[in-house]
Amino acid sequence: MKPLDHLEHLDKHLVDELAQVARETVREELREQTRKQRRKAALYAASGALALYAGAALALAVGLALALGLPDWAAALITAVILGALAYVLRGMARPSGPGAGHAADPAPGRDGARRTAAQAVGGMPCPPVPSAPPGGTAAPGPVPPRPAGAPDVHHRGV
């Protein structure tokens, strides 16, 4: 038997014990974090349920108030339309507004509407309008004359 064989067995035992302690520590910490997250989720769920009931009570109150001067069916219809409009507005507010979000629905992407949508996505401030002509009162210049064939930056095809 070599003189270091007993140390190798001791090292394996130490590593196994250390791994077991680390597993238990991590497991306990995860249990604690899960317990906190579960409590927070339950509180959010209870809050959402109470908000739903509060909204239903408010809708009922609006419907009953309208029913004082209108037929019941008209009051219910008006209340439903109001709730539908609010849902539509909230859905629009929840959608992310990225640089490509408003361009698909725009009939003319180069117009002011696209510029406004991009500005709102960046910081909410609209961009100033771009003038159609350069400053100084001159109209747009005419066609650009062609470059000479001997110019060094012109690409020659087939040569």
Side-chain angles (χ1 to χ4, degrees), residues 28-52:
E28 186 61 35
E29 187 159 338
L30 286 175
R31 274 191 198 118
E32 183 66 29
Q33 287 178 359
T34 304
R35 197 174 301 125
K36 288 179 183 178
Q37 294 297 329
R38 207 177 305 137
R39 182 175 185 270
K40 190 184 293 188
L43 289 174
Y44 272 119
S47 169
L50 288 177
L52 180 68

Short mmCIF file of all heavy atoms in Angstrom, two decimals, residues 28-52:
data_model
loop_
_atom_site.label_atom_id
_atom_site.label_comp_id
_atom_site.label_asym_id
_atom_site.label_seq_id
_atom_site.Cartn_x
_atom_site.Cartn_y
_atom_site.Cartn_z
N GLU A 28 -32.33 24.48 0.86
CA GLU A 28 -33.01 25.27 1.89
C GLU A 28 -33.23 26.71 1.43
O GLU A 28 -34.29 27.30 1.65
CB GLU A 28 -32.19 25.25 3.19
CG GLU A 28 -32.87 25.93 4.35
CD GLU A 28 -34.20 25.27 4.73
OE1 GLU A 28 -34.31 24.03 4.63
OE2 GLU A 28 -35.12 26.01 5.10
N GLU A 29 -32.25 27.27 0.75
CA GLU A 29 -32.40 28.65 0.25
C GLU A 29 -33.48 28.72 -0.82
O GLU A 29 -34.28 29.67 -0.85
CB GLU A 29 -31.07 29.15 -0.29
CG GLU A 29 -31.13 30.62 -0.65
CD GLU A 29 -29.76 31.26 -0.70
OE1 GLU A 29 -28.83 30.74 -0.08
OE2 GLU A 29 -29.66 32.29 -1.38
N LEU A 30 -33.51 27.72 -1.70
CA LEU A 30 -34.56 27.70 -2.72
C LEU A 30 -35.94 27.54 -2.09
O LEU A 30 -36.90 28.15 -2.56
CB LEU A 30 -34.30 26.58 -3.72
CG LEU A 30 -33.16 26.84 -4.71
CD1 LEU A 30 -32.93 25.61 -5.57
CD2 LEU A 30 -33.46 28.04 -5.57
N ARG A 31 -36.05 26.74 -1.04
CA ARG A 31 -37.34 26.60 -0.35
C ARG A 31 -37.78 27.94 0.23
O ARG A 31 -38.96 28.30 0.14
CB ARG A 31 -37.21 25.58 0.79
CG ARG A 31 -37.41 24.18 0.37
CD ARG A 31 -37.55 23.25 1.58
NE ARG A 31 -37.30 21.90 1.17
CZ ARG A 31 -36.33 21.12 1.60
NH1 ARG A 31 -35.51 21.56 2.53
NH2 ARG A 31 -36.17 19.91 1.13
N GLU A 32 -36.85 28.66 0.83
CA GLU A 32 -37.19 29.95 1.43
C GLU A 32 -37.63 30.95 0.36
O GLU A 32 -38.63 31.67 0.52
CB GLU A 32 -35.98 30.49 2.20
CG GLU A 32 -36.25 31.80 2.91
CD GLU A 32 -37.26 31.64 4.03
OE1 GLU A 32 -37.36 30.57 4.62
OE2 GLU A 32 -37.97 32.64 4.31
N GLN A 33 -36.90 31.01 -0.76
CA GLN A 33 -37.27 31.92 -1.84
C GLN A 33 -38.62 31.53 -2.44
O GLN A 33 -39.44 32.40 -2.75
CB GLN A 33 -36.20 31.91 -2.93
CG GLN A 33 -34.94 32.63 -2.54
CD GLN A 33 -33.88 32.56 -3.63
OE1 GLN A 33 -34.09 31.95 -4.67
NE2 GLN A 33 -32.75 33.19 -3.38
N THR A 34 -38.86 30.24 -2.59
CA THR A 34 -40.13 29.77 -3.14
C THR A 34 -41.28 30.13 -2.21
O THR A 34 -42.35 30.54 -2.66
CB THR A 34 -40.08 28.24 -3.35
OG1 THR A 34 -38.97 27.94 -4.18
CG2 THR A 34 -41.34 27.74 -4.00
N ARG A 35 -41.04 29.99 -0.92
CA ARG A 35 -42.08 30.35 0.07
C ARG A 35 -42.44 31.83 -0.06
O ARG A 35 -43.62 32.21 -0.07
CB ARG A 35 -41.57 30.03 1.47
CG ARG A 35 -42.63 29.95 2.53
CD ARG A 35 -42.09 29.48 3.88
NE ARG A 35 -41.48 28.16 3.78
CZ ARG A 35 -40.23 27.87 4.15
NH1 ARG A 35 -39.45 28.81 4.64
NH2 ARG A 35 -39.74 26.66 4.03
N LYS A 36 -41.43 32.69 -0.19
CA LYS A 36 -41.69 34.13 -0.33
C LYS A 36 -42.43 34.43 -1.63
O LYS A 36 -43.36 35.24 -1.66
CB LYS A 36 -40.37 34.91 -0.29
CG LYS A 36 -39.75 34.97 1.08
CD LYS A 36 -38.43 35.73 1.03
CE LYS A 36 -37.75 35.73 2.37
NZ LYS A 36 -36.45 36.42 2.31
N GLN A 37 -41.99 33.80 -2.73
CA GLN A 37 -42.64 34.03 -4.02
C GLN A 37 -44.08 33.53 -4.02
O GLN A 37 -44.95 34.15 -4.61
CB GLN A 37 -41.85 33.35 -5.14
CG GLN A 37 -40.46 33.94 -5.37
CD GLN A 37 -40.51 35.38 -5.83
OE1 GLN A 37 -41.44 35.80 -6.50
NE2 GLN A 37 -39.50 36.15 -5.46
N ARG A 38 -44.32 32.40 -3.37
CA ARG A 38 -45.68 31.86 -3.29
C ARG A 38 -46.59 32.82 -2.53
O ARG A 38 -47.73 33.06 -2.93
CB ARG A 38 -45.64 30.50 -2.60
CG ARG A 38 -46.76 29.59 -3.02
CD ARG A 38 -46.66 28.22 -2.39
NE ARG A 38 -45.39 27.57 -2.62
CZ ARG A 38 -44.70 26.91 -1.69
NH1 ARG A 38 -45.17 26.79 -0.47
NH2 ARG A 38 -43.55 26.35 -1.97
N ARG A 39 -46.08 33.39 -1.45
CA ARG A 39 -46.88 34.34 -0.66
C ARG A 39 -47.18 35.59 -1.49
O ARG A 39 -48.30 36.09 -1.52
CB ARG A 39 -46.13 34.72 0.61
CG ARG A 39 -46.90 35.67 1.50
CD ARG A 39 -46.15 35.90 2.81
NE ARG A 39 -46.94 36.71 3.71
CZ ARG A 39 -46.88 38.04 3.76
NH1 ARG A 39 -46.07 38.69 2.95
NH2 ARG A 39 -47.63 38.71 4.61
N LYS A 40 -46.18 36.08 -2.22
CA LYS A 40 -46.37 37.26 -3.05
C LYS A 40 -47.38 36.99 -4.17
O LYS A 40 -48.25 37.81 -4.46
CB LYS A 40 -45.03 37.69 -3.65
CG LYS A 40 -45.09 39.05 -4.34
CD LYS A 40 -43.78 39.40 -5.00
CE LYS A 40 -42.68 39.62 -4.01
NZ LYS A 40 -41.44 40.14 -4.64
N ALA A 41 -47.30 35.81 -4.78
CA ALA A 41 -48.24 35.45 -5.85
C ALA A 41 -49.66 35.35 -5.31
O ALA A 41 -50.62 35.77 -5.96
CB ALA A 41 -47.82 34.14 -6.50
N ALA A 42 -49.82 34.80 -4.10
CA ALA A 42 -51.15 34.69 -3.50
C ALA A 42 -51.72 36.08 -3.22
O ALA A 42 -52.92 36.32 -3.42
CB ALA A 42 -51.09 33.86 -2.22
N LEU A 43 -50.89 36.99 -2.76
CA LEU A 43 -51.37 38.35 -2.50
C LEU A 43 -51.77 39.06 -3.79
O LEU A 43 -52.77 39.77 -3.84
CB LEU A 43 -50.30 39.15 -1.76
CG LEU A 43 -50.07 38.74 -0.30
CD1 LEU A 43 -48.88 39.50 0.28
CD2 LEU A 43 -51.31 38.98 0.53
N TYR A 44 -50.99 38.87 -4.86
CA TYR A 44 -51.36 39.45 -6.15
C TYR A 44 -52.67 38.86 -6.67
O TYR A 44 -53.51 39.57 -7.22
CB TYR A 44 -50.25 39.24 -7.19
CG TYR A 44 -49.20 40.31 -7.19
CD1 TYR A 44 -47.88 40.00 -6.92
CD2 TYR A 44 -49.52 41.63 -7.47
CE1 TYR A 44 -46.91 40.98 -6.92
CE2 TYR A 44 -48.56 42.61 -7.48
CZ TYR A 44 -47.24 42.29 -7.20
OH TYR A 44 -46.28 43.25 -7.20
N ALA A 45 -52.84 37.56 -6.51
CA ALA A 45 -54.08 36.92 -6.97
C ALA A 45 -55.28 37.44 -6.19
O ALA A 45 -56.33 37.73 -6.77
CB ALA A 45 -53.97 35.41 -6.83
N ALA A 46 -55.14 37.59 -4.88
CA ALA A 46 -56.23 38.11 -4.07
C ALA A 46 -56.54 39.56 -4.46
O ALA A 46 -57.70 39.96 -4.55
CB ALA A 46 -55.88 38.02 -2.59
N SER A 47 -55.50 40.34 -4.71
CA SER A 47 -55.68 41.72 -5.13
C SER A 47 -56.42 41.79 -6.46
O SER A 47 -57.33 42.61 -6.66
CB SER A 47 -54.32 42.40 -5.23
OG SER A 47 -54.42 43.65 -5.87
N GLY A 48 -56.05 40.93 -7.40
CA GLY A 48 -56.71 40.91 -8.70
C GLY A 48 -58.17 40.50 -8.59
O GLY A 48 -59.04 41.07 -9.26
N ALA A 49 -58.45 39.51 -7.74
CA ALA A 49 -59.84 39.08 -7.57
C ALA A 49 -60.68 40.19 -6.96
O ALA A 49 -61.82 40.44 -7.40
CB ALA A 49 -59.89 37.83 -6.68
N LEU A 50 -60.14 40.88 -5.96
CA LEU A 50 -60.88 41.99 -5.35
C LEU A 50 -61.08 43.13 -6.35
O LEU A 50 -62.14 43.76 -6.36
CB LEU A 50 -60.16 42.48 -4.10
CG LEU A 50 -60.23 41.52 -2.91
CD1 LEU A 50 -59.40 42.07 -1.75
CD2 LEU A 50 -61.66 41.30 -2.48
N ALA A 51 -60.09 43.40 -7.17
CA ALA A 51 -60.23 44.44 -8.20
C ALA A 51 -61.31 44.06 -9.21
O ALA A 51 -62.08 44.92 -9.66
CB ALA A 51 -58.90 44.69 -8.89
N LEU A 52 -61.38 42.78 -9.56
CA LEU A 52 -62.41 42.32 -10.48
C LEU A 52 -63.80 42.52 -9.88
O LEU A 52 -64.71 43.02 -10.55
CB LEU A 52 -62.18 40.84 -10.81
CG LEU A 52 -63.20 40.22 -11.76
CD1 LEU A 52 -63.04 40.81 -13.15
CD2 LEU A 52 -63.02 38.71 -11.79
#
